[in-house]
Amino acid sequence: MSKIKLLLNEVFQQAKLDSGKTKKYPLALYLKIHLETFNVYLDEKTFVRYYDAYVLEKGKETEPDSDTLNKLSHYLGYKDFTDFSRTFVKKDDETNKTTVKISVDDDEESLAEKLSKIVINITNEQYFKVPDFLKKNGMGIVEMVFLVLLVTGGVVFSKDKKSVFGFSSIWNDPAIEKPYMYWDKDRYIASDSSFINPQTDVVPMDPTKFVYQKKITRPDTLTIENAVDKVWYDKSDNHVEFFTNYGTHPENGKTLKAATPHIVETYGGENASLELADN
């Protein structure tokens, strides 16, 4: 499968998750309207042609221009089409699956100590880089392992006596199997119940949001290099909050915007101290 075909298939798949639509024309209309946020200005007929050609494989493939490819990749959470091409691994593509082995020395006494000794080896050529701001925003060892899964698309853990985990992908996380989730301060929490309390907005489980959407609790770690077009923000009442994924603000429902140099310089880094004090 070509990278362009893979990209467009993933764009429509993401649109299904975001909109709840499954048919071609509603998806095309949703993408026409929603992608204007990403400065993609294509009519619904163009998206219908893309769907026919690249998803149904019934029409002539007309390649989007490079600017459109970059913006569609941005919609999926990538910096540009080159970034998508380097890092995306389709979940059912066994030949490109990254293997992550976790081993722990036998002489460790506690699980906490064992986790601190985890060694992760990326054994294929998939591009992998963890931005500094993710390392400093409350991500422990287990969450860092999850991040490996998100970036590489699939993993296999050893199952000998030194194994700590026994799952092959974050998408097998039992939490995702729960029917509901709710936002709790800086991330989504899975729930079996549609009601927690009157102040909590419980919504149907959305695996993409559950895995990827988190509030950045350390905006002082953001820089032009690690944040521009890589994180998203909401500004309400002169207060800025940063998030790790696009979409809407989990609490006020406003559409999140891609962080610009001005926003990062004004509300991140050393200028984030007042924001932190307010929290």
Side-chain angles (χ1 to χ4, degrees):
M1 182 181 292
S2 71
K3 292 296 184 180
I4 293 177
K5 184 175 182 179
L6 181 59
L7 173 68
L8 287 167
N9 272 266
E10 291 303 315
V11 165
F12 281 105
Q13 184 60 35
Q14 186 63 50
K16 289 180 181 179
L17 292 173
D18 292 344
S19 68
K21 310 295 184 183
T22 58
K23 302 296 184 181
K24 174 172 59 177
Y25 291 102
L27 284 172
L29 182 59
Y30 171 80
L31 286 170
K32 172 193 178 298
I33 297 172
H34 181 69
L35 291 187
E36 290 180 358
T37 305
F38 296 83
N39 297 317
V40 177
Y41 300 102
L42 300 175
D43 58 34
E44 60 269 32
K45 293 181 180 179
T46 300
F47 285 111
V48 167
R49 288 197 296 271
Y50 287 160
Y51 192 92
D52 286 338
Y54 291 96
V55 179
L56 300 181
E57 300 182 349
K58 291 184 177 179
K60 181 181 178 181
E61 293 186 357
T62 303
E63 294 186 0
D65 58 40
S66 58
D67 184 58
T68 299
L69 290 174
N70 288 335
K71 290 173 180 176
L72 290 176
S73 300
H74 193 186
Y75 166 58
L76 295 178
Y78 296 86
K79 180 179 179 182
D80 51 30
F81 183 58
T82 299
D83 184 33
F84 172 86
S85 299
R86 287 177 178 173
T87 63
F88 182 81
V89 179
K90 194 169 179 61
K91 290 191 286 294
D92 60 2
D93 187 350
E94 295 295 331
T95 60
N96 289 322
K97 184 171 288 186
T98 297
T99 298
V100 178
K101 294 181 179 179
I102 296 182
S103 59
V104 182
D105 291 339
D106 288 332
D107 59 354
E108 300 297 341
E109 294 296 328
S110 68
L111 178 60
E113 289 174 338
K114 289 179 180 181
L115 290 176
S116 71
K117 297 294 184 178
I118 286 175
V119 176
I120 299 175
N121 297 310
I122 307 299
T123 58
N124 69 359
E125 296 179 356
Q126 292 296 323
Y127 176 81
F128 180 75
K129 183 177 181 181
V130 181
D132 289 340
F133 78 86
L134 287 179
K135 297 176 185 176
K136 298 177 181 179
N137 275 281
M139 298 191 73
I141 292 295
V142 173
E143 288 174 305
M144 288 297 289
V145 173
F146 284 172
L147 182 61
V148 173
L149 304 181
L150 298 181
V151 174
T152 61
V155 299
V156 176
F157 289 87
S158 60
K159 294 185 178 180
D160 59 18
K161 63 181 181 179
K162 295 182 179 181
S163 295
V164 178
F165 304 103
F167 48 83
S168 60
S169 168
I170 192 168
W171 299 104
N172 290 332
D173 181 354
I176 295 178
E177 299 301 320
K178 294 187 177 183
Y180 303 101
M181 65 181 187
Y182 61 93
W183 184 256
D184 183 28
K185 298 180 181 178
D186 63 351
R187 67 188 63 205
Y188 281 104
I189 304 297
S191 173
D192 290 314
S193 174
S194 62
F195 178 81
I196 303 299
N197 59 59
Q199 291 74 42
T200 301
D201 184 18
V202 179
V203 298
M205 170 60 67
D206 182 327
T208 301
K209 290 182 179 180
F210 181 81
V211 172
Y212 289 97
Q213 185 72 296
K214 299 186 188 308
K215 178 180 175 181
I216 295 175
T217 58
R218 290 287 306 279
D220 59 318
T221 63
L222 299 180
T223 66
I224 295 294
E225 291 73 22
N226 68 25
V228 172
D229 292 329
K230 299 175 184 176
V231 302
W232 286 258
Y233 77 96
D234 167 65
K235 183 177 181 182
S236 300
D237 298 325
N238 207 36
H239 179 78
V240 170
E241 294 176 304
F242 292 96
F243 295 84
T244 58
N245 200 32
Y246 58 86
T248 58
H249 191 295
E251 295 177 324
N252 62 31
K254 292 175 59 177
T255 299
L256 300 176
K257 300 178 181 178
T260 62
H262 172 72
I263 289 294
V264 174
E265 289 181 337
T266 304
Y267 297 97
E270 350 180 285
N271 295 325
S273 56
L274 292 179
E275 295 290 309
L276 290 173
D278 289 340
N279 289 335

